[in-house]
Amino acid sequence: MLLESFKTHVLLLVSAIAILGQSQQEILGTLQSDHNVSDGLFRDLEELSRVVDIAYCVGTAGLGIQKPFLCASRCQDFKHFELVKTWHTGPLISDSCGYIALSHHPSVPRIIVAFRGTYSIANAIIDLSTIPQEYVPYPGDDHDEQKAASSGSKGWRHLSSKAVNPDISRCDECTVHAGFMTSWRHTRPEVIDQVGELLNRYPDHRLTVVGHSLGGAVAALASLDFHAKGWGPQITTFGEPKIGNEALMKYLDQAFLDPSQSRENQTYRRVTHVDDPVPLLPLSEWGYRSHSGEIFISKPDLPPEREDLHLCEGNKDPLCLAGTSASSDSFLSRLKTEADIESFKEWWLHNKGFPERLIRFLAKDGKTYYGDAILPPGETNIAKATQGRVITGDIFGKHDITGQIADVRFLLAPLARDDVKTVRCLGLNYEQHAKESNMSIPEYPVLFYKPTTALTGPFENIPVPALAQEVDGLDYECELVAVIGKEARDVPESQALDYVLGYSVGNDVSHREWQIKRGGGQWALGKMYDGWAPFGPGIVSSRIIKDPQSLRISTRLNGTTVQDSSTRDMIFGVAKTISFLSQGTTLLPGDIIFTGTPQGVGSGRSPPLWLKDGNIVEVGIQGIGICTNKVHYVKSRPKL
């Protein structure tokens, strides 16, 4: 889907749109059909958005991208790609990660150089919008790399000695963002010779450069270098920030803008999105400007259709993002106060800063971490995670997904007990389960609670105390678990999913005798024991699971499938449940909701199928993973 990486890696700052000189509706109403892209360009951009998304696999230690072209992202979409190399250099805003690949027939013959953005995008946006960014001259004072090396100079390269056309290499009064230039300077030795060699070996392959977010800035500087060598690159960036001053932008347009070609056929395509502030940064008040080649996505929700992409004129088209920068700066500059910065970071962390697949694990170094799961290529079961990208800070507040990779020894419950506020559970929430239980469809959600001491990990034993061993009745219940990410009170159903941090898998272990017959009408007595709420193996972000009512849910007992259904059979869907539970009651970050179980439980069978000591129970949900727990009868302690 076009630009899905925008939704995953780039901030969607809707409030910025409210202060634009023209409203979004006015912009959409004014755009003419001659601004629209062709079907061919739309398909090309859609493919390249997936190509650059793969670059985010680089920097994941032992996994990354592997030959011939394997990764945990979208590599399977490109069967005719051949990986040449990957690189990973430098920290934070001066980092650079990416890969070089060959695209062979029947795909379009290309030499692809892909630059990914930073994982620390929240801090990068704060830096770019609140701290005046340092300039350096472009191209620089050194006349060639050999002179710089022999003199020990750390200055910036000059391109004239290597340029095909010396006039193009000169850039009077040009200045470039110091961090972006540092990033390209670090990256250049990793790619320049390799690309030159590939062009010699594959002269029929087009040099194709693609970059995302801050990686788009590095891609722009790389492309100037490639152009100076006469390599004729085709460049596409998504969410590229401003890289330099007005003189540098004219220099770049001189290199890549061909007045004899239509906007459709230009060699530099700079894709922007109506809700993405990164192309507006650094601020214009510091002298930074945008260059031409913008293709503007006017639809807030992704993915867009072809009609939502618009070819922009020049670098200040009032109908595109570049034309809004002057009025948007006044909004972005408000982030300069400490209070606004903290509010912005809080907003980011609640909306875009959460990892895609949160795990908590005991690492091989003996430490316990929160992390973003790293899975084998094509795998979605978080239980298969062998590594995690370490997360520091408060998982529900200020935290950072670091570049540190830790090896997983053992997956724990995805939330520490201290991070969980309340465990709410629904009963009789699947229509077919209510029928197998011979009970009427409830008019309102049936709510009960479990203590946090019931929570346990995805591979821990289910301890059965002596009290629960006195009579049969031990049962399994596979359930979708919703994790609340921010305070919610009196939430309308239409907005309820916005408060979900992510989804996990749970087993609401129950004892029917104590739940129904011995509990005096209180279900909790049959569900409250320590370790009777295994959940995990991780928490998948609600950015990935957009529709929680379309998931397969199943249970296997000793290898035999005993539950197999879909979350669409819920009586009260996740959104309706959260809305109902928030009426007059505040749901807190860290609250978890077991949303009920489908048909197939042991008590609904004839004869009943009760859990026994040593049984293995596997509960799983599509796109999340599987929890595997062994039933363990706890021996009675001897009386003194």
Side-chain angles (χ1 to χ4, degrees):
M1 292 187 295
L2 181 59
L3 306 182
E4 189 65 23
S5 57
F6 260 94
K7 206 164 189 181
T8 303
H9 303 295
V10 178
L11 174 65
L12 299 180
L13 197 53
V14 177
S15 55
I17 303 305
I19 65 160
L20 300 181
Q22 290 178 284
S23 70
Q24 180 181 324
Q25 289 74 19
E26 290 172 331
I27 289 176
L28 299 184
T30 308
L31 286 167
Q32 302 298 319
S33 59
D34 62 353
H35 287 251
N36 291 341
V37 305
S38 66
D39 287 335
L41 179 55
F42 180 80
R43 289 193 298 270
D44 190 32
L45 295 175
E46 188 279 331
E47 181 184 55
L48 289 172
S49 71
R50 289 182 282 130
V51 167
V52 75
D53 193 47
I54 292 170
Y56 282 87
C57 292
V58 181
T60 55
L63 185 60
I65 309 176
Q66 301 172 343
K67 293 184 178 182
F69 198 68
L70 303 172
C71 65
S73 180
R74 302 174 182 271
C75 290
Q76 64 270 19
D77 296 349
F78 301 99
K79 298 180 180 179
H80 303 287
F81 276 30
E82 174 190 352
L83 178 67
V84 177
K85 71 173 297 183
T86 63
W87 73 86
H88 185 189
T89 66
L92 298 177
I93 206 168
S94 297
D95 76 350
S96 176
C97 289
Y99 68 91
I100 301 173
L102 293 169
S103 169
H104 296 300
H105 182 79
S107 298
V108 178
R110 289 171 295 184
I111 299 168
I112 295 170
V113 186
F115 297 82
R116 78 154 171 81
T118 177
Y119 279 109
S120 304
I121 187 66
N123 290 331
I125 290 175
I126 292 296
D127 291 342
L128 292 176
S129 60
T130 61
I131 303 171
Q133 299 296 295
E134 180 183 356
Y135 274 116
V136 294
Y138 182 88
D141 296 326
D142 294 328
H143 289 284
D144 54 48
E145 295 173 66
Q146 289 76 21
K147 178 179 178 181
S150 62
S151 65
S153 170
K154 296 182 180 179
W156 304 95
R157 268 185 341 278
H158 199 287
L159 302 180
S160 60
S161 65
K162 296 179 179 294
V164 174
N165 183 349
D167 290 334
I168 294 179
S169 70
R170 291 197 297 267
C171 187
D172 297 332
E173 300 181 354
C174 286
T175 53
V176 64
H177 185 281
F180 298 154
M181 192 64 186
T182 300
S183 183
W184 171 232
R185 186 167 61 91
H186 290 168
T187 307
R188 192 177 193 275
E190 299 284 342
V191 302
I192 199 78
D193 290 340
Q194 184 73 74
V195 171
E197 179 183 340
L198 291 172
L199 285 167
N200 288 331
R201 290 174 55 194
Y202 301 95
D204 60 332
H205 282 46
R206 179 73 183 272
L207 176 57
T208 302
V209 181
V210 60
H212 176 253
S213 192
L214 303 191
V218 186
L221 295 172
S223 297
L224 284 171
D225 232 351
F226 297 160
H227 173 77
K229 285 182 168 291
W231 291 347
Q234 170 81 65
I235 311 101
T236 306
T237 63
F238 300 91
E240 173 194 326
K242 302 171 188 174
I243 64 171
N245 66 350
E246 182 75 27
L248 182 60
M249 295 307 97
K250 291 180 179 179
Y251 174 81
L252 192 147
D253 286 343
Q254 180 186 0
F256 298 112
L257 188 62
D258 185 351
S260 68
Q261 296 292 327
S262 67
R263 282 173 283 177
E264 171 95 11
N265 295 320
Q266 295 298 324
T267 59
Y268 202 122
R269 291 90 62 93
R270 183 172 62 85
V271 183
T272 66
H273 184 266
V274 66
D275 285 343
D276 176 19
V278 173
L280 302 176
L281 303 174
L283 300 178
S284 295
E285 65 189 64
W286 301 329
Y288 285 87
R289 298 292 185 268
S290 300
H291 62 85
S292 300
E294 181 180 1
I295 299 176
F296 177 56
I297 302 175
S298 59
K299 180 184 177 183
D301 296 331
L302 298 174
E305 304 297 331
R306 183 181 66 84
E307 293 75 16
D308 302 315
L309 273 66
H310 310 282
L311 296 164
C312 305
E313 185 173 355
N315 65 346
K316 296 179 182 178
D317 192 328
L319 303 181
C320 296
L321 194 66
T324 69
S325 60
S327 56
S328 295
D329 283 353
S330 61
F331 168 79
L332 293 169
S333 63
R334 292 200 307 243
L335 294 174
K336 289 183 177 180
T337 66
E338 186 67 23
D340 283 340
I341 291 174
E342 293 308 312
S343 296
F344 178 86
K345 286 183 176 180
E346 181 179 1
W347 185 94
W348 169 269
L349 292 169
H350 281 316
N351 289 275
K352 292 296 171 188
F354 191 72
E356 292 188 351
R357 292 176 174 85
L358 176 70
I359 55 176
R360 193 170 66 91
F361 61 100
L362 176 65
K364 291 183 179 179
D365 63 9
K367 298 179 181 179
T368 297
Y369 298 104
Y370 275 115
D372 197 357
I374 297 173
L375 299 177
E379 184 62 68
T380 60
N381 180 7
I382 298 179
K384 301 293 187 180
T386 58
Q387 294 178 314
R389 189 174 294 106
V390 172
I391 299 172
T392 58
D394 179 2
I395 197 65
F396 291 102
K398 300 175 184 177
H399 64 267
D400 183 35
I401 304 174
T402 71
Q404 178 186 353
I405 306 297
D407 294 324
V408 174
R409 176 182 294 176
F410 192 76
L411 288 176
L412 307 171
L415 292 178
R417 188 177 297 169
D418 290 344
D419 289 330
V420 178
K421 305 301 188 296
T422 305
V423 183
R424 292 175 173 85
C425 307
L426 296 192
L428 297 176
N429 195 34
Y430 281 71
E431 185 173 345
Q432 296 303 315
H433 174 53
K435 290 179 179 179
E436 75 174 354
S437 302
N438 296 316
M439 301 185 75
S440 59
I441 303 297
E443 184 178 356
Y444 302 102
V446 178
L447 176 66
F448 62 95
Y449 294 81
K450 284 197 172 195
T452 57
T453 52
L455 296 174
T456 192
F459 302 115
E460 300 285 354
N461 287 343
I462 300 171
V464 182
L467 188 66
Q469 298 175 32
E470 295 176 352
V471 62
D472 284 338
L474 189 63
D475 212 343
Y476 49 84
E477 293 189 7
C478 181
E479 308 202 5
L480 176 68
V481 177
V483 182
I484 300 298
K486 56 184 177 180
E487 285 194 12
R489 190 177 191 275
D490 297 328
V491 174
E493 183 178 343
S494 61
Q495 301 176 15
L497 295 184
D498 295 340
Y499 293 83
V500 177
L501 194 69
Y503 300 94
S504 191
V505 184
N507 186 353
D508 175 17
V509 181
S510 307
H511 198 292
R512 306 305 182 189
E513 182 76 12
W514 279 101
Q515 176 189 350
I516 299 171
K517 296 182 180 180
R518 299 187 181 188
Q522 297 294 321
W523 285 9
L525 290 175
K527 295 172 175 282
M528 67 181 183
Y529 299 107
D530 291 353
W532 279 30
F535 86 116
I539 298 173
V540 177
S541 170
S542 56
R543 301 195 313 271
I544 295 177
I545 298 179
K546 301 176 181 65
D547 180 9
Q549 307 311 142
S550 61
L551 304 174
R552 183 183 178 189
I553 179 171
S554 61
T555 300
R556 300 206 320 164
L557 177 59
N558 298 326
T560 300
T561 299
V562 290
Q563 287 184 292
D564 192 357
S565 185
S566 169
T567 54
R568 72 172 60 94
D569 191 47
M570 283 187 188
I571 299 168
F572 305 101
V574 175
K576 186 180 290 292
T577 295
I578 291 173
S579 176
F580 178 83
L581 295 179
S582 73
Q583 299 308 304
T585 301
T586 301
L587 306 182
L588 298 173
D591 281 358
I592 64 177
I593 304 171
F594 281 65
T595 58
T597 195
Q599 77 276 13
V601 297
S603 59
R605 297 172 177 269
S606 182
L609 180 62
W610 305 126
L611 297 178
K612 302 294 184 182
D613 187 28
N615 283 175
I616 304 296
V617 185
E618 299 170 89
V619 292
I621 294 179
Q622 172 190 359
I624 302 176
I626 299 172
C627 297
T628 303
N629 305 95
K630 182 178 181 180
V631 178
H632 173 64
Y633 277 25
V634 179
K635 295 181 179 180
S636 300
R637 295 180 179 177
K639 297 181 180 179
L640 298 178

